[in-house]
Amino acid sequence: MELSMPRVQDEITEEDLWYVLKNPWKFSTYEWKLYNVYNEETAYETLMEQYELSQQDGFSKVFRTPENLPLLVLMAVKISETALHCYLVASKHMEENRQALNVTFKMRNILHEQSYNYKGCKLVVYSQSRETDKQMSWLRFIGLKYIPEGNVGDAKYFEYESRVKV
């Protein structure tokens, strides 16, 4: 079976957000506390709010399967002159379609490209996972650096520092 590359688009719909929340990847399930059905609405409202903010000052991307189903939603919202907060939620297709590696490489490229748009900024990610070592390795592979002094409770703190000089 030949793996096809996921498509990446800027426009995210409400249906895309609901889809990834109702069909989560194992990492998204814990990150967004989707093991409890009552958290879906809160997660949806948070993602919609962040999507709207990302349209004002930030960026957003949706990765799609060849069948046009949402694979992963990536958003970044500018929270200060020097920082963007990243939100990430993926669907079950990351594993079912064996797309995690392809998506990872595309995400690395997107972060590098966006560093030109946000010179001198850092992208911050807070991550919670039951499989901390795997999640941390994946985030490091994307280009994020783990900075333990930024941890908040169970949430681990990562940064992607712009490689572009101001």
Side-chain angles (χ1 to χ4, degrees):
M1 177 175 103
E2 185 178 320
L3 291 179
S4 58
M5 292 298 286
R7 290 181 302 117
V8 181
Q9 297 175 309
D10 294 336
E11 187 68 29
I12 299 169
T13 67
E14 292 179 26
E15 291 79 20
D16 293 334
L17 296 178
W18 271 121
Y19 185 88
V20 294
L21 292 172
K22 297 230 178 250
N23 300 281
W25 185 30
K26 66 181 178 182
F27 289 121
S28 293
T29 300
Y30 192 71
E31 291 275 345
W32 289 90
K33 298 177 177 41
L34 300 173
Y35 43 80
N36 180 340
V37 71
Y38 301 106
N39 289 334
E40 284 179 3
E41 185 70 34
T42 302
Y44 171 77
E45 289 170 5
T46 299
L47 288 169
M48 273 306 297
E49 180 181 301
Q50 298 313 311
Y51 175 67
E52 290 167 8
L53 291 171
S54 76
Q55 298 305 288
Q56 295 168 20
D57 199 1
F59 64 92
S60 60
K61 305 286 181 190
V62 61
F63 294 70
R64 296 189 178 282
T65 68
E67 296 78 29
N68 207 36
L69 295 171
L71 185 60
L72 177 134
V73 172
L74 169 68
M75 293 183 274
V77 176
K78 196 160 185 185
I79 56 173
S80 75
E81 286 304 310
T82 59
L84 289 97
H85 191 151
C86 180
Y87 297 87
L88 174 75
V89 61
S91 74
K92 64 184 180 179
H93 301 295
M94 287 287 277
E95 281 180 285
E96 287 180 0
N97 293 13
R98 299 185 307 183
Q99 289 294 324
L101 192 58
N102 289 338
V103 168
T104 299
F105 282 113
K106 280 194 174 257
M107 282 180 58
R108 281 173 50 160
N109 290 337
I110 289 168
L111 293 179
H112 182 73
E113 289 169 11
Q114 289 296 328
S115 71
Y116 289 100
N117 297 328
Y118 296 96
K119 292 179 182 171
C121 286
K122 60 186 171 191
L123 179 73
V124 301
V125 175
Y126 288 94
S127 176
Q128 279 184 210
S129 177
R130 286 190 174 158
E131 299 181 49
T132 306
D133 292 339
K134 286 182 184 177
Q135 186 77 344
M136 289 174 73
S137 295
W138 184 67
L139 289 168
R140 279 194 294 262
F141 188 69
I142 293 171
L144 291 131
K145 181 180 177 184
Y146 176 51
I147 303 176
E149 51 273 11
N151 291 351
V152 176
D154 291 337
K156 308 266 189 277
Y157 177 81
F158 293 83
E159 281 184 6
Y160 180 92
E161 186 114 18
S162 171
R163 295 189 172 113
V164 180
K165 299 290 183 209
V166 179

